[in-house]
Amino acid sequence: MLRTLLNEEIRFLAPIHLKMLGIFTIFGVVFVGLLALNLPIVEAFALLGAVVAFALAVPVVLIHTAVEYWQSMYGSRGYLTQAIPVRGRVLYAAKTLYAFAAGLVAGCFTIAGLLVIAWVAATSQGLSVGEILQPLRQLLDLIGIGWVVAFFVYLIVELACVIVCVAAVMSIGAQGRWNHLGFGAPVIGFVALYLVAQVLSMLLLLTVPVALELASGDVVNAWMLPDFIEAVRTGSDPTVLGLGFIAVWPLLAVVLGAWGVRAIERHTSLR
């Protein structure tokens, strides 16, 4: 049943999102074309327009998916959705899986667009492909390919966790006890989620005994808290960066995901 529901999400939302990406592509190509002309006055405007055109893909697609989640689960269409003979966790899984896939596709679209912009901007200045790739080679030599791979894995995991949390907050906010607030309940929940994430990030950053040594780039078994206190006391810079903040969104996703599923299965209240 999960596959069937996921296919329905794709059938309904994917054409809309592909049209969005098509619109962004048209605007991006127009601005990239202006950028390739290398006109002094137009160049800066074209570069900004091209970057914005491709960078908007991820937030626009994810925001639209979140709106569709709310409308299909708790709006007028929610009556049909809740009539499907499956548990709430299956609905939740299908919708969050589609949102994750859509976010990845939009992210790849953005990365590809930004690479094209960089290539056009560089070639319009008379630079060769080798000169364009030189900064990337230097970066890889400096930090290593392992850290780059780890960074992208971290971004993908964070994307999945944020999607799970956002969907959960909307489902939690849709409970009958907060019906009088309408969509205001999820909005309050998003603010609370942001504040909790910031507090947890700081706590885990300082207290989890795993840190990155800034001078060498090595991962060491050390707390950042003593180093942070010393840096504040002396006005110096910290020598280590705590890595505990990496676990914040996965932890929130586990807690809120379970809470959100419970809210769907036991406390759903349609508008």
Side-chain angles (χ1 to χ4, degrees):
M1 195 60 180
L2 175 60
R3 179 184 298 179
T4 301
L5 291 173
L6 183 57
N7 286 337
E8 283 300 306
E9 291 291 310
I10 295 172
R11 185 185 65 82
F12 181 70
L13 291 177
I16 299 174
H17 293 155
L18 289 176
K19 289 177 183 178
M20 290 179 178
L21 296 185
I23 293 172
F24 289 134
T25 300
I26 292 172
F27 279 99
V29 168
V30 170
F31 283 117
V32 167
L34 293 175
L35 181 63
L37 297 177
N38 197 23
L39 300 175
I41 299 178
V42 179
E43 185 176 13
F45 168 76
L47 178 60
L48 177 61
V51 170
V52 170
F54 287 109
L56 279 177
V58 175
V60 169
V61 167
L62 290 181
I63 289 172
H64 177 263
T65 306
V67 171
E68 285 293 329
Y69 179 88
W70 178 263
Q71 292 179 345
S72 64
M73 291 287 283
Y74 306 108
S76 58
R77 287 156 48 201
Y79 292 93
L80 177 61
T81 302
Q82 299 300 331
I84 300 174
V86 296
R87 301 184 69 180
R89 64 193 62 195
V90 181
L91 294 171
Y92 181 79
K95 291 181 178 297
T96 53
L97 281 173
Y98 174 80
F100 176 62
L104 285 181
V105 172
C108 292
F109 172 84
T110 296
I111 292 173
L114 294 179
L115 289 176
V116 170
I117 293 170
W119 177 74
V120 171
T123 53
S124 65
Q125 300 296 323
L127 299 177
S128 65
V129 175
E131 291 173 318
I132 296 172
L133 296 178
Q134 186 61 29
L136 179 60
R137 295 196 191 99
Q138 293 175 345
L139 178 64
L140 292 176
D141 291 338
L142 177 64
I143 64 177
I145 188 66
W147 281 109
V148 175
V149 173
F151 175 72
F152 279 101
V153 171
Y154 168 76
L155 289 182
I156 293 172
V157 173
E158 289 289 284
L159 173 64
C161 293
V162 170
I163 288 171
V164 168
C165 290
V166 169
V169 167
M170 284 193 285
S171 291
I172 294 166
Q175 297 179 84
R177 71 184 77 174
W178 295 306
N179 240 351
H180 62 286
L181 295 174
F183 193 71
V187 170
I188 295 172
F190 294 147
V191 174
L193 174 63
Y194 173 78
L195 295 176
V196 169
Q198 295 305 307
V199 172
L200 279 179
S201 295
M202 181 57 67
L203 288 176
L204 296 182
L205 177 79
L206 297 176
T207 59
V208 172
V210 179
L212 178 68
E213 195 171 53
L214 297 178
S216 63
D218 296 330
V219 177
V220 296
N221 183 16
W223 288 13
M224 187 181 176
L225 182 58
D227 188 63
F228 177 76
I229 294 174
E230 182 65 18
V232 172
R233 188 181 66 82
T234 62
S236 59
D237 295 326
T239 59
V240 296
L241 174 66
L243 297 178
F245 68 91
I246 294 175
V248 169
W249 283 103
L251 288 174
L252 288 173
V254 171
V255 174
L256 290 177
W259 190 1
V261 168
R262 181 183 176 86
I264 295 171
E265 294 183 345
R266 301 189 182 183
H267 305 288
T268 292
S269 177
L270 302 180
R271 269 53 183 170

